[in-house]
mmCIF file of all heavy atoms in Angstrom:
data_model
loop_
_atom_site.group_PDB
_atom_site.id
_atom_site.type_symbol
_atom_site.label_atom_id
_atom_site.label_comp_id
_atom_site.label_asym_id
_atom_site.label_seq_id
_atom_site.Cartn_x
_atom_site.Cartn_y
_atom_site.Cartn_z
ATOM 1 N N THR B 1315 -17.856 -7.838 72.210
ATOM 2 C CA THR B 1315 -16.768 -7.705 73.116
ATOM 3 C C THR B 1315 -16.763 -6.121 73.668
ATOM 4 O O THR B 1315 -16.581 -6.074 74.885
ATOM 5 C CB THR B 1315 -15.390 -7.982 72.510
ATOM 6 O OG1 THR B 1315 -15.443 -9.307 71.913
ATOM 7 C CG2 THR B 1315 -14.224 -7.771 73.405
ATOM 8 N N LEU B 1316 -16.935 -5.237 72.792
ATOM 9 C CA LEU B 1316 -16.929 -3.860 73.294
ATOM 10 C C LEU B 1316 -18.124 -3.618 74.184
ATOM 11 O O LEU B 1316 -18.055 -2.857 75.168
ATOM 12 C CB LEU B 1316 -16.975 -2.914 72.028
ATOM 13 C CG LEU B 1316 -15.752 -2.933 71.180
ATOM 14 C CD1 LEU B 1316 -15.967 -2.087 69.878
ATOM 15 C CD2 LEU B 1316 -14.602 -2.466 71.876
ATOM 16 N N GLY B 1317 -19.285 -4.226 73.796
ATOM 17 C CA GLY B 1317 -20.365 -4.009 74.601
ATOM 18 C C GLY B 1317 -20.283 -4.640 76.113
ATOM 19 O O GLY B 1317 -20.585 -4.112 77.066
ATOM 20 N N GLY B 1318 -19.621 -5.861 75.991
ATOM 21 C CA GLY B 1318 -19.258 -6.514 77.292
ATOM 22 C C GLY B 1318 -18.349 -5.646 78.195
ATOM 23 O O GLY B 1318 -18.522 -5.567 79.372
ATOM 24 N N GLY B 1319 -17.357 -5.012 77.498
ATOM 25 C CA GLY B 1319 -16.439 -4.176 78.176
ATOM 26 C C GLY B 1319 -17.152 -2.988 78.828
ATOM 27 O O GLY B 1319 -16.889 -2.558 80.022
ATOM 28 N N ALA B 1320 -18.153 -2.422 78.127
ATOM 29 C CA ALA B 1320 -18.920 -1.327 78.608
ATOM 30 C C ALA B 1320 -19.702 -1.693 79.835
ATOM 31 O O ALA B 1320 -19.947 -0.972 80.765
ATOM 32 C CB ALA B 1320 -19.700 -0.632 77.557
ATOM 33 N N LEU B 1321 -20.326 -2.959 79.677
ATOM 34 C CA LEU B 1321 -21.206 -3.447 80.788
ATOM 35 C C LEU B 1321 -20.551 -4.024 82.004
ATOM 36 O O LEU B 1321 -20.814 -3.787 83.122
ATOM 37 C CB LEU B 1321 -22.149 -4.390 80.167
ATOM 38 C CG LEU B 1321 -23.242 -4.957 81.121
ATOM 39 C CD1 LEU B 1321 -24.246 -3.835 81.507
ATOM 40 C CD2 LEU B 1321 -24.091 -5.935 80.380
ATOM 41 N N PHE B 1322 -19.616 -4.987 81.660
ATOM 42 C CA PHE B 1322 -18.928 -5.584 82.766
ATOM 43 C C PHE B 1322 -17.503 -5.078 83.227
ATOM 44 O O PHE B 1322 -17.113 -5.481 84.252
ATOM 45 C CB PHE B 1322 -18.675 -7.101 82.322
ATOM 46 C CG PHE B 1322 -19.902 -7.780 81.834
ATOM 47 C CD1 PHE B 1322 -19.863 -8.381 80.596
ATOM 48 C CD2 PHE B 1322 -21.128 -7.845 82.623
ATOM 49 C CE1 PHE B 1322 -21.127 -9.039 80.201
ATOM 50 C CE2 PHE B 1322 -22.259 -8.536 82.095
ATOM 51 C CZ PHE B 1322 -22.169 -9.120 80.905
ATOM 52 N N GLY B 1323 -16.944 -4.249 82.413
ATOM 53 C CA GLY B 1323 -15.634 -3.807 82.681
ATOM 54 C C GLY B 1323 -14.580 -4.661 82.047
ATOM 55 O O GLY B 1323 -14.763 -5.676 81.444
ATOM 56 N N PHE B 1324 -13.367 -4.118 81.995
ATOM 57 C CA PHE B 1324 -12.250 -4.652 81.120
ATOM 58 C C PHE B 1324 -11.860 -6.096 81.653
ATOM 59 O O PHE B 1324 -11.925 -7.124 80.935
ATOM 60 C CB PHE B 1324 -10.952 -3.780 81.311
ATOM 61 C CG PHE B 1324 -9.766 -4.435 80.592
ATOM 62 C CD1 PHE B 1324 -9.760 -4.408 79.140
ATOM 63 C CD2 PHE B 1324 -8.731 -4.979 81.284
ATOM 64 C CE1 PHE B 1324 -8.634 -4.918 78.567
ATOM 65 C CE2 PHE B 1324 -7.735 -5.528 80.718
ATOM 66 C CZ PHE B 1324 -7.577 -5.510 79.375
ATOM 67 N N THR B 1325 -11.665 -6.392 82.937
ATOM 68 C CA THR B 1325 -11.118 -7.559 83.379
ATOM 69 C C THR B 1325 -12.151 -8.657 83.266
ATOM 70 O O THR B 1325 -11.852 -9.814 82.720
ATOM 71 C CB THR B 1325 -10.716 -7.456 84.827
ATOM 72 O OG1 THR B 1325 -9.838 -6.395 85.017
ATOM 73 C CG2 THR B 1325 -10.150 -8.733 85.416
ATOM 74 N N VAL B 1326 -13.414 -8.477 83.624
ATOM 75 C CA VAL B 1326 -14.446 -9.547 83.409
ATOM 76 C C VAL B 1326 -14.619 -9.828 82.007
ATOM 77 O O VAL B 1326 -14.790 -11.004 81.665
ATOM 78 C CB VAL B 1326 -15.666 -9.081 84.189
ATOM 79 C CG1 VAL B 1326 -16.927 -9.972 83.820
ATOM 80 C CG2 VAL B 1326 -15.626 -8.953 85.610
ATOM 81 N N THR B 1327 -14.720 -8.834 81.194
ATOM 82 C CA THR B 1327 -14.943 -9.067 79.719
ATOM 83 C C THR B 1327 -13.632 -9.728 79.071
ATOM 84 O O THR B 1327 -13.886 -10.631 78.241
ATOM 85 C CB THR B 1327 -15.216 -7.812 78.986
ATOM 86 O OG1 THR B 1327 -16.380 -7.212 79.504
ATOM 87 C CG2 THR B 1327 -15.531 -7.949 77.558
ATOM 88 N N LEU B 1328 -12.498 -9.392 79.512
ATOM 89 C CA LEU B 1328 -11.348 -10.092 78.950
ATOM 90 C C LEU B 1328 -11.379 -11.602 79.217
ATOM 91 O O LEU B 1328 -11.187 -12.454 78.372
ATOM 92 C CB LEU B 1328 -10.115 -9.483 79.565
ATOM 93 C CG LEU B 1328 -8.746 -10.215 79.366
ATOM 94 C CD1 LEU B 1328 -8.430 -9.965 77.742
ATOM 95 C CD2 LEU B 1328 -7.683 -9.678 80.195
ATOM 96 N N ILE B 1329 -11.749 -11.880 80.422
ATOM 97 C CA ILE B 1329 -11.848 -13.419 80.842
ATOM 98 C C ILE B 1329 -12.947 -14.076 80.121
ATOM 99 O O ILE B 1329 -12.800 -15.156 79.560
ATOM 100 C CB ILE B 1329 -11.910 -13.451 82.370
ATOM 101 C CG1 ILE B 1329 -10.607 -13.051 82.992
ATOM 102 C CG2 ILE B 1329 -12.183 -14.906 82.786
ATOM 103 C CD1 ILE B 1329 -10.694 -12.776 84.463
ATOM 104 N N ALA B 1330 -14.151 -13.421 80.197
ATOM 105 C CA ALA B 1330 -15.326 -14.085 79.605
ATOM 106 C C ALA B 1330 -15.241 -14.118 78.120
ATOM 107 O O ALA B 1330 -15.546 -15.251 77.533
ATOM 108 C CB ALA B 1330 -16.573 -13.284 80.016
ATOM 109 N N ALA B 1331 -14.748 -13.130 77.430
ATOM 110 C CA ALA B 1331 -14.695 -13.148 76.012
ATOM 111 C C ALA B 1331 -13.481 -14.187 75.510
ATOM 112 O O ALA B 1331 -13.701 -14.785 74.544
ATOM 113 C CB ALA B 1331 -14.385 -11.803 75.423
ATOM 114 N N SER B 1332 -12.420 -14.242 76.279
ATOM 115 C CA SER B 1332 -11.460 -15.183 75.904
ATOM 116 C C SER B 1332 -11.869 -16.592 76.069
ATOM 117 O O SER B 1332 -11.651 -17.398 75.066
ATOM 118 C CB SER B 1332 -10.241 -14.942 76.826
ATOM 119 O OG SER B 1332 -9.658 -13.647 76.610
ATOM 120 N N PHE B 1333 -12.493 -16.957 77.149
ATOM 121 C CA PHE B 1333 -12.985 -18.343 77.335
ATOM 122 C C PHE B 1333 -14.145 -18.660 76.184
ATOM 123 O O PHE B 1333 -14.121 -19.719 75.670
ATOM 124 C CB PHE B 1333 -13.482 -18.574 78.746
ATOM 125 C CG PHE B 1333 -12.365 -18.860 79.667
ATOM 126 C CD1 PHE B 1333 -11.968 -17.950 80.630
ATOM 127 C CD2 PHE B 1333 -11.814 -20.101 79.609
ATOM 128 C CE1 PHE B 1333 -10.928 -18.221 81.430
ATOM 129 C CE2 PHE B 1333 -10.801 -20.473 80.503
ATOM 130 C CZ PHE B 1333 -10.300 -19.469 81.483
ATOM 131 N N SER B 1334 -14.948 -17.651 76.067
ATOM 132 C CA SER B 1334 -16.059 -17.881 75.151
ATOM 133 C C SER B 1334 -15.614 -18.022 73.681
ATOM 134 O O SER B 1334 -16.112 -18.910 72.945
ATOM 135 C CB SER B 1334 -17.124 -16.708 75.278
ATOM 136 O OG SER B 1334 -17.650 -16.676 76.560
ATOM 137 N N SER B 1335 -14.758 -17.225 73.319
ATOM 138 C CA SER B 1335 -14.267 -17.290 71.904
ATOM 139 C C SER B 1335 -13.536 -18.601 71.718
ATOM 140 O O SER B 1335 -13.559 -19.175 70.587
ATOM 141 C CB SER B 1335 -13.431 -16.008 71.457
ATOM 142 O OG SER B 1335 -12.222 -16.057 72.294
ATOM 143 N N THR B 1336 -12.766 -18.959 72.594
ATOM 144 C CA THR B 1336 -11.974 -20.233 72.503
ATOM 145 C C THR B 1336 -12.977 -21.475 72.480
ATOM 146 O O THR B 1336 -12.819 -22.303 71.622
ATOM 147 C CB THR B 1336 -11.070 -20.423 73.801
ATOM 148 O OG1 THR B 1336 -10.108 -19.333 73.654
ATOM 149 C CG2 THR B 1336 -10.253 -21.673 73.591
ATOM 150 N N ILE B 1337 -13.976 -21.460 73.361
ATOM 151 C CA ILE B 1337 -14.961 -22.480 73.315
ATOM 152 C C ILE B 1337 -15.729 -22.477 72.005
ATOM 153 O O ILE B 1337 -15.895 -23.580 71.421
ATOM 154 C CB ILE B 1337 -15.898 -22.412 74.521
ATOM 155 C CG1 ILE B 1337 -15.133 -22.652 75.853
ATOM 156 C CG2 ILE B 1337 -17.077 -23.340 74.398
ATOM 157 C CD1 ILE B 1337 -15.940 -22.266 77.098
ATOM 158 N N GLY B 1338 -16.116 -21.320 71.511
ATOM 159 C CA GLY B 1338 -16.885 -21.336 70.316
ATOM 160 C C GLY B 1338 -16.033 -21.753 69.093
ATOM 161 O O GLY B 1338 -16.575 -22.407 68.155
ATOM 162 N N ALA B 1339 -14.732 -21.298 69.092
ATOM 163 C CA ALA B 1339 -13.874 -21.743 67.983
ATOM 164 C C ALA B 1339 -13.614 -23.247 67.964
ATOM 165 O O ALA B 1339 -13.593 -23.851 66.990
ATOM 166 C CB ALA B 1339 -12.533 -21.012 68.020
ATOM 167 N N THR B 1340 -13.490 -23.723 69.217
ATOM 168 C CA THR B 1340 -13.357 -25.233 69.273
ATOM 169 C C THR B 1340 -14.622 -26.026 68.852
ATOM 170 O O THR B 1340 -14.382 -27.000 68.040
ATOM 171 C CB THR B 1340 -13.085 -25.605 70.779
ATOM 172 O OG1 THR B 1340 -11.904 -24.861 71.173
ATOM 173 C CG2 THR B 1340 -12.753 -27.099 70.870
ATOM 174 N N ILE B 1341 -15.691 -25.455 69.151
ATOM 175 C CA ILE B 1341 -17.012 -26.079 68.674
ATOM 176 C C ILE B 1341 -17.103 -25.999 67.208
ATOM 177 O O ILE B 1341 -17.354 -26.972 66.504
ATOM 178 C CB ILE B 1341 -18.241 -25.422 69.380
ATOM 179 C CG1 ILE B 1341 -18.244 -25.894 70.824
ATOM 180 C CG2 ILE B 1341 -19.589 -25.866 68.626
ATOM 181 C CD1 ILE B 1341 -19.248 -25.031 71.609
ATOM 182 N N ALA B 1342 -16.859 -24.835 66.589
ATOM 183 C CA ALA B 1342 -16.847 -24.632 65.134
ATOM 184 C C ALA B 1342 -15.907 -25.531 64.450
ATOM 185 O O ALA B 1342 -16.218 -26.248 63.407
ATOM 186 C CB ALA B 1342 -16.548 -23.181 64.725
ATOM 187 N N CYS B 1343 -14.681 -25.612 64.870
ATOM 188 C CA CYS B 1343 -13.648 -26.488 64.322
ATOM 189 C C CYS B 1343 -14.091 -27.979 64.410
ATOM 190 O O CYS B 1343 -13.925 -28.811 63.462
ATOM 191 C CB CYS B 1343 -12.261 -26.245 64.947
ATOM 192 S SG CYS B 1343 -11.001 -27.202 64.201
ATOM 193 N N SER B 1344 -14.518 -28.438 65.631
ATOM 194 C CA SER B 1344 -14.965 -29.757 65.789
ATOM 195 C C SER B 1344 -16.074 -30.177 64.908
ATOM 196 O O SER B 1344 -16.093 -31.264 64.335
ATOM 197 C CB SER B 1344 -15.251 -30.107 67.243
ATOM 198 O OG SER B 1344 -14.159 -29.812 68.063
ATOM 199 N N VAL B 1345 -17.115 -29.289 64.833
ATOM 200 C CA VAL B 1345 -18.313 -29.626 63.972
ATOM 201 C C VAL B 1345 -17.868 -29.724 62.483
ATOM 202 O O VAL B 1345 -18.248 -30.671 61.773
ATOM 203 C CB VAL B 1345 -19.395 -28.505 64.194
ATOM 204 C CG1 VAL B 1345 -20.463 -28.725 63.083
ATOM 205 C CG2 VAL B 1345 -20.009 -28.711 65.626
ATOM 206 N N SER B 1346 -17.103 -28.795 62.118
ATOM 207 C CA SER B 1346 -16.641 -28.838 60.662
ATOM 208 C C SER B 1346 -15.806 -30.103 60.427
ATOM 209 O O SER B 1346 -15.841 -30.627 59.290
ATOM 210 C CB SER B 1346 -16.072 -27.554 60.230
ATOM 211 O OG SER B 1346 -14.877 -27.389 60.813
ATOM 212 N N ARG B 1347 -14.993 -30.326 61.339
ATOM 213 C CA ARG B 1347 -13.943 -31.439 61.070
ATOM 214 C C ARG B 1347 -14.617 -32.789 61.120
ATOM 215 O O ARG B 1347 -14.375 -33.602 60.327
ATOM 216 C CB ARG B 1347 -12.836 -31.291 62.008
ATOM 217 C CG ARG B 1347 -11.745 -32.492 61.909
ATOM 218 C CD ARG B 1347 -10.626 -32.207 62.884
ATOM 219 N NE ARG B 1347 -9.767 -33.343 62.625
ATOM 220 C CZ ARG B 1347 -8.521 -33.124 62.296
ATOM 221 N NH1 ARG B 1347 -7.963 -31.966 62.065
ATOM 222 N NH2 ARG B 1347 -7.662 -34.169 62.138
ATOM 223 N N TYR B 1348 -15.516 -33.023 62.086
ATOM 224 C CA TYR B 1348 -16.018 -34.374 62.328
ATOM 225 C C TYR B 1348 -17.459 -34.565 61.738
ATOM 226 O O TYR B 1348 -17.776 -35.734 61.404
ATOM 227 C CB TYR B 1348 -16.007 -34.735 63.790
ATOM 228 C CG TYR B 1348 -14.567 -34.772 64.389
ATOM 229 C CD1 TYR B 1348 -14.124 -33.724 65.199
ATOM 230 C CD2 TYR B 1348 -13.645 -35.692 63.863
ATOM 231 C CE1 TYR B 1348 -12.843 -33.703 65.781
ATOM 232 C CE2 TYR B 1348 -12.369 -35.694 64.419
ATOM 233 C CZ TYR B 1348 -11.977 -34.723 65.350
ATOM 234 O OH TYR B 1348 -10.682 -34.637 65.856
ATOM 235 N N ILE B 1349 -18.299 -33.561 61.722
ATOM 236 C CA ILE B 1349 -19.651 -33.719 61.251
ATOM 237 C C ILE B 1349 -19.845 -33.198 59.802
ATOM 238 O O ILE B 1349 -20.490 -33.919 59.136
ATOM 239 C CB ILE B 1349 -20.597 -32.959 62.257
ATOM 240 C CG1 ILE B 1349 -20.581 -33.546 63.668
ATOM 241 C CG2 ILE B 1349 -22.059 -33.064 61.776
ATOM 242 C CD1 ILE B 1349 -21.253 -32.831 64.763
#
């Protein structure tokens, strides 16, 4: 996240990291719950 902020700037990283962490957490939860 910090590296993304340095490279992309605050706003782009905020949006990208928020969506990415949500998608990743959803995948982790779904895999552990169903598989």
